[in-house]
């Protein structure tokens, strides 16, 4: 069997290589994290970009089998922020020199919602003359909606494929017309056509997922030539059908460890993309996001959702920071990032290097 160092010496990582690393003993993985840190330094540098996260609404028309705000969960208390609250949260990000924000919500495509989001985007663009860059994470929409939101001022869009394998996707979602793997792939294509920086991602350690599935996910990201990735550990939620698998899952710490390995492998494979240190990592370990930064991530998303809504945007159990003011979370984060030799890039958009190189016709890294 090849050593991890030997595998990492190869020109290009293949499926078997990725499976081997994902299945390796923890003690073998030192060379992986060292290599990822070196590639990160030359690919994107030591700076960490901030995205102020606004959880705009937990109203969702979908029913994903893993998610706490699925439409079938009658126990979820639903909310939608007002346009004024959303723009105020964006102003807060602007004043704190975050450089960019993410607007995330459950998926819906009704005309009033689409129009409301368009107005919000125009309102945000008016703040500081377009000084904030905006990422949307609002699920599958028509190409026309994607175009309208782009024209209204959104720059990036995050649409996780959740599972690149159609088989696994089917096991994690209801088998109906609203939850089709093929439609999700089409939506990713439409986002690129509309001009967005495109991000995707998966859950890691989900029920029925194998190391081979995760290896295929990494190859999927590379083949799609994504600009950014948000991926994190699966965490069970008691009011969801997949909770029935909870007892058979590896412990949460193992799922976090696997997520860090995924981040490190992806950094080695795609040196100049943006990779997020996600909230689910922090839910398992209070220092989970910082560990992800050491493993190769370069983006963090401090939560700017008003406190009274935050308790209701519960995708999974033990979500962190529910009672924390955004100021506290960023100050803590800043101190920890400094400790690990990085720094926060205030007031910068932090566009994906991969995207900028493609746009200018430059060579890939
Ligand atoms: N555990 C971890 N991540 C989850 N998401 C939804 N439910 C869970 C869960 N139980 C993720 C999905 C979705 C993103 C907004 O949150 O990947 O795309
Ligand atoms: Fe809705 Fe997204 Fe949750 Fe699926 S994962 S139920 S689309 S919020």
């Amino acid at each position: 069997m090849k050593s991890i160092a030997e595998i990492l010496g190869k020109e290009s990582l293949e499926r078997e290589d990725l499976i081997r690393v994902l299945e390796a003993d923890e003690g073998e993985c030192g060379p992986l994290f060292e290599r990822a840190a070196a590639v990160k330094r030359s690919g994107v540098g030591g700076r960490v970009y901030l995205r102020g996260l606004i959880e705009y609404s937990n109203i969702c028309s979908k029913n994903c089998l893993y998610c706490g705000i699925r439409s079938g969960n009658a126990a979820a208390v639903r909310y939608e922020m007002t346009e004024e609250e959303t723009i105020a949260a964006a102003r807060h990000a602007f004043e704190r020199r975050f450089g960019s924000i993410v607007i995330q919500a459950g998926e819906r495509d009704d005309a009033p919602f689409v129009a409301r989001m368009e107005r919000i985007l125009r309102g945000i663009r008016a703040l500081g003359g377009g000084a904030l860059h905006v990422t949307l994470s609002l699920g599958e929409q028509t190409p026309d909606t994607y175009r309208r939101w782009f024209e209204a001022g959104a720059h990036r869009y995050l649409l996780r494929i959740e599972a690149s394998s159609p088989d696994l996707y089917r096991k994690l979602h209801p088998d109906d017309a609203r939850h089709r793997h093929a439609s999700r792939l089409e939506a990713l294509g439409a986002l690129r056509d509309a001009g967005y920086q495109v991000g995707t991602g998966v859950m890691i350690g989900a029920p029925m997922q194998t190391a081979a599935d995760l290896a295929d996910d990494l190859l999927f990201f590379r083949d799609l030539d994504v600009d950014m990735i948000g991926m994190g550990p699966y965490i069970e939620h008691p009011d969801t059908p997949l909770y029935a698998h909870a007892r058979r899952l590896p412990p949460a710490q193992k799922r976090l460890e696997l997520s860090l390995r995924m981040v490190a492998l992806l950094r080695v494979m795609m040196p100049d993309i943006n990779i997020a240190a996600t909230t689910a990592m922090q839910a398992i370990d209070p220092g989970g996001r910082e560990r992800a930064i050491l493993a190769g991530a370069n983006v963090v998303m401090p939560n700017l959702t008003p406190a009274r809504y935050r308790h209701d945007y519960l995708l999974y159990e033990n979500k962190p920071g529910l009672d924390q003011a955004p100021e506290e979370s960023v100050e803590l984060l800043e101190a920890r990032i400094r400790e690990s030799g990085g720094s926060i890039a205030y007031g910068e958009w932090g566009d994906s290097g991969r995207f900028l190189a493609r746009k200018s016709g430059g060579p890939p890294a």
Side-chain angles (χ1 to χ4, degrees):
M1 196 157 60
K2 275 195 194 143
S3 73
I4 304 293
E6 265 176 287
I7 289 175
L8 293 170
K10 292 179 63 174
E11 182 95 2
S12 169
L13 296 176
E14 282 152 43
R15 190 168 189 261
E16 314 79 75
D17 302 323
L18 299 171
I19 296 174
R20 162 82 177 92
V21 177
L22 291 168
E23 289 182 333
D25 292 335
E26 226 171 296
E28 285 183 279
C29 285
L32 168 65
F33 292 109
E34 279 162 33
R35 178 69 193 281
V39 173
K40 181 182 164 186
R41 257 194 311 279
S42 54
V44 288
R47 283 164 355 129
V48 175
Y49 297 100
L50 298 176
R51 319 274 185 241
L53 176 63
I54 303 173
E55 293 157 333
Y56 171 77
S57 168
N58 67 354
I59 299 170
C60 188
S61 61
K62 284 200 161 174
N63 218 359
C64 308
L65 302 179
Y66 42 83
C67 177
I69 64 171
R70 62 203 300 271
S71 57
N73 180 12
V77 178
R78 305 288 167 173
Y79 74 88
E80 179 173 0
M81 287 171 62
T82 64
E83 292 175 37
E84 294 72 31
E85 285 170 330
T86 312
I87 293 171
R91 183 174 302 112
H92 188 74
F94 173 62
E95 285 165 357
R96 293 186 57 86
R97 302 182 53 238
F98 274 21
S100 77
I101 56 170
V102 179
I103 302 178
Q104 187 170 72
E107 186 172 312
R108 49 193 284 205
D109 57 4
D110 51 285
F113 171 78
V114 171
R116 208 147 50 237
M117 196 48 64
E118 195 174 2
R119 282 196 299 276
I120 289 172
L121 288 166
R122 291 189 194 284
I124 292 172
R125 186 161 56 189
L127 291 172
L132 272 182
H133 267 195
V134 181
T135 303
L136 296 179
S137 177
L138 302 171
E140 289 167 50
Q141 304 287 343
T142 62
D144 182 54
T145 298
Y146 286 148
R147 263 194 305 275
R148 276 173 64 185
W149 288 344
F150 187 80
E151 278 159 20
H155 306 81
R156 319 181 178 117
Y157 205 105
L158 190 60
L159 181 72
R160 288 189 179 183
I161 189 73
E162 311 295 359
S164 62
S165 145
D167 275 350
L168 180 58
Y169 190 91
R170 219 173 296 120
K171 293 177 189 160
L172 301 177
H173 298 89
D175 186 13
D176 62 30
R178 275 206 87 87
H179 301 82
R180 289 271 177 261
H181 190 256
S183 322
R184 218 153 172 86
L185 286 176
E186 272 170 33
L188 284 167
L191 284 166
R192 177 135 302 154
D193 292 345
Y196 290 89
Q197 295 176 47
V198 178
T200 189
V202 293
M203 286 178 302
I204 298 161
M208 299 165 281
Q209 184 187 52
T210 63
D213 287 322
L214 289 171
D216 287 336
D217 290 338
L218 290 169
L219 296 171
F220 172 82
F221 302 154
R222 184 167 72 187
D223 292 347
L224 197 67
D225 194 16
V226 288
D227 304 308
M228 47 196 207
I229 286 289
M231 57 184 172
Y234 164 77
I235 303 175
E236 54 273 30
H237 188 298
D239 299 323
T240 60
L242 288 188
Y243 196 70
H245 293 261
R247 274 175 298 120
R248 291 191 294 276
L249 289 177
Q253 283 295 341
K254 285 259 179 266
R255 282 175 260 158
L256 174 60
E257 171 60 33
L258 195 57
S259 305
L260 298 174
R261 258 182 233 189
M262 287 286 285
V263 166
L265 279 169
L266 185 64
R267 177 55 73 201
V268 172
M269 294 165 73
M270 304 188 77
D272 60 349
I273 64 168
N274 282 340
I275 303 179
T278 54
T279 316
M281 296 174 172
Q282 191 195 359
I284 292 178
D285 174 349
R289 288 184 307 181
E290 292 79 357
R291 290 175 69 188
I293 289 167
L294 286 171
N298 66 330
V299 167
V300 278
M301 305 189 287
N303 198 333
L304 295 185
T305 310
R308 70 173 177 288
Y309 297 126
R310 227 182 263 192
H311 288 265
D312 294 320
Y313 198 84
L314 293 183
L315 306 175
Y316 43 76
E317 278 183 323
N318 304 325
K319 185 183 171 197
L322 290 182
D323 297 308
Q324 210 169 28
E327 292 75 13
E328 288 170 54
S329 51
V330 178
E331 271 156 27
L332 206 71
L333 189 71
E334 181 162 25
R336 284 182 167 160
I337 289 173
R338 232 186 264 122
E339 266 167 40
S340 52
S343 63
I344 291 184
Y346 281 104
E348 292 189 39
W349 294 331
D351 285 330
S352 153
R354 184 80 201 102
F355 177 80
L356 296 175
R358 192 185 312 110
K359 218 167 93 174
S360 67

